[in-house]
Every structure is written in structure tokens, then in C-alpha cells.
Amino acid sequence: LTPAVSIICLNTEISAEGEQKRFLEQALTRQEEKNVRWRMAAFHRPAYAAVKKPGPAKVSWVPLFEQFNIDLVLESDGHCIKRTVPIRADKEADDGIVYLGEGGFGAPQRNPQRGRWYLKGERAFVSKGDHIMMLEITPDAINYETILNTGEVVDSTSFKPRR
């Protein structure tokens, strides 16, 4: 935890409720008290999945992410490329949170479900291919790129701070 960046890493292989949810709320409160500039969460099973069904994070953690206005959520598991529209209250919203993922460089890539509402439109991106996602964190923005193993940048955007 620094005044600049904080990433809360959570475990979706155990209960999202109980002790872990209390930990998340305490960590988010601490980020707020310390006036952390960039606030992110990272975990395996996605809340807004591109391939599979949503994980327990959607019910247990997303309301806290929204309450505390975190900047970005990093998700895994789907083995594809995903950037959701900004989401708040389970709808596209200008003040919403973007969910990035779902990884898999070197793992077999899966076909994302392109018809899901949060993967449609100009503010979203979905594809597949061996890739990395690069985040460049500056005081004024998080600059994001998805780069295929060929070196081609297939998606990019910048996120502005919420505070």
C-alpha cells in the first residue's frame, strides 16, 4: 500500500463471503484513509466473465468495489482478451468500473461470448489470442494496452483517476 498505487489480491478459490469479504472492506477502507491515488483489485474467477458464468465476486465484492469507487478490476480464468464497458449497478455507466482480463498467454485461448451486454460497444473490447496486458501507471492516468505475441497492439485506452 503506497500513496500512489494499491492492488488488493483476492482468492476466488475460497468463499467470497465471511473473512475474505471483511478483509476486502477493511482494505478498501484503508485505501480511502490513506488517500491512495490508484485503487485496483485482482482475482481469478471473473465477476463479469467473457467465457464462463460470473463468479461469486459479482455478488460479494462488486458492491464494495462500487461503494469505494475503485479504479480498475483485473480478472483471469477465461483465457481470452476482455475489457468491459464501465459498469455500475449492473449497467453501463460513465462512472462505472472497467473489468480487464481474462488472460492465458501460452494457455489454449477460448472463444469469448461477444453477445454479453458489457462486452458490446465502443467502450468495450473482446477477442482472443496469446497476449499480455500492460498497465503504465502515472500520476494522471493508467495507460492500458493489450499486445499480441506478434507485437501488435489490439486494444488500448487510458483510465482517469476517480479522485
Side-chain angles (χ1 to χ4, degrees):
L1 181 66
T2 73
V5 179
S6 177
I7 302 173
I8 300 169
C9 295
L10 300 162
N11 184 351
T12 55
E13 301 305 311
I14 62 174
S15 175
E17 289 291 324
E19 187 177 328
Q20 189 164 205
K21 187 173 180 179
R22 283 190 298 278
F23 164 80
L24 174 59
E25 188 164 16
Q26 290 168 356
L28 291 166
T29 299
R30 195 159 169 233
Q31 286 179 338
E32 192 133 308
E33 290 169 351
K34 300 263 185 196
N35 199 28
V36 174
R37 177 70 164 182
W38 294 107
R39 303 169 190 185
M40 293 175 265
F43 46 88
H44 189 239
R45 290 194 54 220
Y48 288 94
V51 174
K52 299 178 180 182
K53 293 179 182 176
K58 185 171 181 189
V59 171
S60 300
W61 301 339
V62 167
L64 287 170
F65 297 158
E66 292 178 359
Q67 176 187 339
F68 286 89
N69 286 313
I70 70 166
D71 296 292
L72 200 56
V73 175
L74 312 173
E75 302 180 309
S76 299
D77 196 37
H79 299 189
C80 66
I81 303 166
K82 170 193 82 185
R83 174 173 50 94
T84 69
V85 298
I87 301 169
R88 182 169 297 278
D90 213 26
K91 295 178 185 162
E92 184 172 354
D94 289 340
D95 67 342
I97 298 166
V98 172
Y99 295 76
L100 289 177
E102 292 183 20
F105 192 98
Q109 292 289 292
R110 298 180 177 133
N111 292 316
Q113 303 296 317
R114 297 171 190 275
R116 294 181 177 172
W117 67 267
Y118 49 85
L119 300 176
K120 293 181 179 181
E122 293 180 16
R123 298 197 295 176
F125 182 84
V126 64
S127 188
K128 70 178 192 175
D130 289 332
H131 66 282
I132 62 165
M133 289 183 168
M134 186 167 64
L135 300 175
E136 175 193 25
I137 302 170
T138 72
D140 300 318
I142 295 178
N143 300 308
Y144 146 82
E145 291 183 326
T146 294
I147 307 165
L148 296 180
N149 63 348
T150 62
E152 178 186 4
V153 176
V154 293
D155 187 35
S156 64
T157 194
S158 290
F159 302 100
K160 300 298 178 198
R162 295 183 181 278
R163 52 214 129 284

